[in-house]
Amino acid sequence: MTGIGITSNQRGRNVAEGLATAIHEHRLSPGMKLNEDEVGEIFGVSRTIVRSALQTLSHAQLVVIEPNRGAFVARPSIREAREVFEARALLETRTAHSAATRATTEDIALLKRHIDEEHWAFDAGETGRALRLSGDFHIEIARIANQATIAAFVRQLVARSSLIIALYWRRRQATCESHAHHALLKALEAHEADRAKELMTSHLVDLLSLLDLTEPTDAPASLKEAFRLP
Amino acid sequence: MTGIGITSNQRGRNVAEGLATAIHEHRLSPGMKLNEDEVGEIFGVSRTIVRSALQTLSHAQLVVIEPNRGAFVARPSIREAREVFEARALLETRTAHSAATRATTEDIALLKRHIDEEHWAFDAGETGRALRLSGDFHIEIARIANQATIAAFVRQLVARSSLIIALYWRRRQATCESHAHHALLKALEAHEADRAKELMTSHLVDLLSLLDLTEPTDAPASLKEAFRLP
DNA sequence: GAGGCGAAAATCGTATACAATCTGGGAATA
DNA sequence: TATTCCCAGATTGTATACGATTTTCGCCTC
C-alpha cells in the first residue's frame, strides 16, 4: 500500500509504485539519478511509461526533475524536513483524533497486525521494510479517520518523511517507533480522542527531535542493485 | 499565479496553467471532456505535451482521467466538497495565524492591491476573474505564512474549491467574499494572530454554508469556446 | 599535473506512427 | 417499435524515431 496519487496509466502507476516502495525502503537513496532507459529496462517498459511514472513521483515530491538533466530522488532540505513534520503534526493530530472516535474493532485488529508485522520485520533485521510499515501505520490511521482529502496529504508527507529519515537519521533506535505506535493504538482502542491526539503530536515531535538536522553527506549507490539485478 | 505543482516540462506546465486558469475562471465546467487532440490544437503542442499537462492536473485533482476514455474536468462530490473545506479550515487557520505574525508592510500592501483588483473585477462583471483573484488571496496568505509545504496543499485545495463553487454555488452574493477578506486583512495588518485565525475559520465556514450541497445538474459546454476560438 | 577545448557519447524533449480500445449509429431481428 | 449486434470512426495507450542538450573524456596547451 505504498500509495501514490491517481494515475490512470496502469503501467505507469506500477513503475511509480515500484520506485516509491524502493524509496520508502531506503533501497533508493536521496540524490540518486533515475535514468529513464535504465528504469525502463528494469520494469520492462518504454521511456514513455517511465516518464509518466517519474512525473507522478515528482508531484509527490519524491523525485526532482531537472530540465534536460533528468530525474533524481529528492533530497529534502533541513527547512523542508521541519516543514514536513510540522504539517504532519497539524494534519495527523486531526486524523488521530478522528480515528479514535471512529475506529471499529476490525480497524484496531488491523492496526495490531500492522504493529506486529513491523516488529517482526525489525527483529528480522529488515529495517527497510520495518520503516515502510511504520509509515503505513500512520497512513492507516488517516484512512480510519475517513477523510480522504487529508489522508492523501498525509500519505504524501509520510512518503517524504522517509526521504528525510534517510538523510538525517543518524542514531539507531528504531524501537521507540513501535512503542509510540503501541501507545497510540491503546488510545484509539479506548476511543480516547484527546489522548490519541496528544500522543500523535508528541510522537511526531519525538521523531523530529531524533533527527540530526545538519548538512547531510551522501553517496548515492547504483540503481540496479536497488532492484537486485546483475 | 495559478499555481500548479512543479513540472520540469515547461510547455506542459504552460498548458496545465492555461487549463487550470480556465477552470478557476469557470470557463471550463466540471464534467467537460478534455480531448487531447483538441487541447493540443488550442495550445499548439503535440499530444505528448497535452498528456503531461493532463496528468499534472489529475494529480491536483482538477481533472479525472478515465482509462481509455480520456480526461474530464473533475466533478467533486458533495462529500469531497465538505472534506476540502474542512481541510482548508485546518490548514488555513494555521496560515492565517502565521501570516499575521509575519506579515510585512509590503505583504499588506500587496494584499490590499489584491482585494482592490478583486473588487474591480467584480464590479466590471468579470465574475470569473474575480473568483480566481479571491482564491489567490488565500494563496497569498499561505505564501506569507512562509510554509511552502502547507502552502502547496492550500493551493491545491483552493483550486478544487473553484470546482466546488462551480458545481454547488447557486445563490448570487459574491460580495461577502471581499468583506471577509477585508476584515482578515485588518487583522493581519494589526498582527492579531488569534483574530486572523478565527476570521479565517468563520470565513471558510461561511463559504461552505453558502453552498447548496445537493446533487448538481450540469451540461458541460464546449472546449473551444472556453478559449474563444471559432 | 592542472586546466581548457572540442568532438563523441549519452541522455532528455517532443512529435509521430501504430496498436488497442471505446463510441455511436445503422442494420438485422424479434 | 424496441433491442441486439456489429462495424466504421474517433480517441486513447505505447513505442519509437529524431532533434536538442548535457555530459564525458581524450587531447592539447601551459
Side-chain angles (χ1 to χ4, degrees), chain A:
Chain A
M1 263 294 193
T2 306
I4 287 297
I6 294 97
T7 317
S8 84
N9 194 332
Q10 188 56 51
R11 319 228 263 138
R13 184 218 280 283
N14 287 343
V15 175
E17 292 242 344
L19 290 172
T21 303
I23 290 175
H24 290 150
E25 298 189 348
H26 290 188
R27 305 198 315 269
L28 290 176
S29 359
M32 191 180 293
K33 172 87 189 274
L34 299 173
N35 181 289
E36 295 181 355
D37 281 324
E38 217 171 332
V39 173
E41 203 181 344
I42 289 170
F43 288 93
V45 296
S46 81
R47 277 181 54 219
T48 305
I49 309 294
V50 174
R51 296 194 110 240
S52 156
L54 291 176
Q55 213 187 307
T56 296
L57 294 172
S58 94
H59 284 115
Q61 313 227 87
L62 290 185
V63 151
V64 171
I65 296 180
E66 298 184 25
N68 280 314
R69 293 203 55 244
F72 302 82
V73 179
R75 306 178 86 254
S77 66
I78 293 170
R79 165 96 194 267
E80 229 174 308
R82 293 192 196 283
E83 283 193 1
V84 164
F85 277 91
E86 189 158 341
R88 282 187 65 170
L90 184 56
L91 294 175
E92 296 202 56
T93 51
R94 175 67 62 96
T95 58
H97 187 280
S98 180
T101 64
R102 299 183 44 91
T104 65
T105 48
E106 292 89 50
D107 290 332
I108 299 296
L110 186 71
L111 285 174
K112 254 183 190 131
R113 281 201 298 281
H114 223 294
I115 291 182
D116 288 345
E117 214 177 325
E118 190 183 330
H119 239 115
W120 297 338
F122 183 78
D123 289 343
E126 303 175 27
T127 55
R129 189 154 156 277
L131 202 66
R132 178 169 59 75
L133 288 166
S134 90
D136 285 352
F137 183 80
H138 288 256
I139 291 171
E140 199 56 33
I141 288 177
R143 189 194 57 72
I144 293 168
N146 197 36
Q147 283 252 5
T149 302
I150 292 178
F153 290 149
V154 169
R155 256 200 299 281
Q156 187 182 132
L157 292 172
V158 167
R160 290 171 73 182
S161 298
S162 164
L163 282 175
I164 291 166
I165 289 169
L167 270 174
Y168 300 108
W169 187 279
R170 302 228 164 110
R171 326 177 203 192
R172 299 294 159 198
Q173 40 184 120
T175 36
C176 64
E177 280 275 335
S178 89
H179 286 159
H181 286 182
H182 205 268
L184 206 36
L185 176 69
K186 286 295 171 209
L188 295 179
E189 189 169 19
H191 299 292
E192 295 174 5
D194 288 336
R195 177 153 174 72
K197 191 162 108 175
E198 272 166 38
L199 282 171
M200 181 61 91
T201 308
S202 63
H203 173 40
L204 288 171
V205 168
D206 261 19
L207 272 181
L208 181 59
S209 76
L210 285 174
L211 296 178
D212 174 15
L213 291 179
T214 56
E215 281 314 318
T217 61
D218 228 318
S222 100
L223 177 57
K224 293 209 172 178
E225 81 186 33
F227 292 95
R228 289 154 210 255
L229 295 180

Side-chain angles (χ1 to χ4, degrees), chain A residues 149, chain B residues 76-87 160-161 164-165 168 208 211 213:
Chain A
T149 302
Chain B
S77 65
I78 294 170
R79 165 96 195 266
E80 228 175 308
R82 292 191 198 284
E83 283 194 359
V84 164
F85 277 92
E86 190 159 341
R160 291 171 72 183
S161 298
I164 290 166
I165 288 169
Y168 301 107
L208 181 58
L211 296 178
L213 291 180

Side-chain angles (χ1 to χ4, degrees), chain B residues 36 47 51 68:
Chain B
E36 295 181 356
R47 279 180 53 218
R51 297 194 113 240
N68 281 313

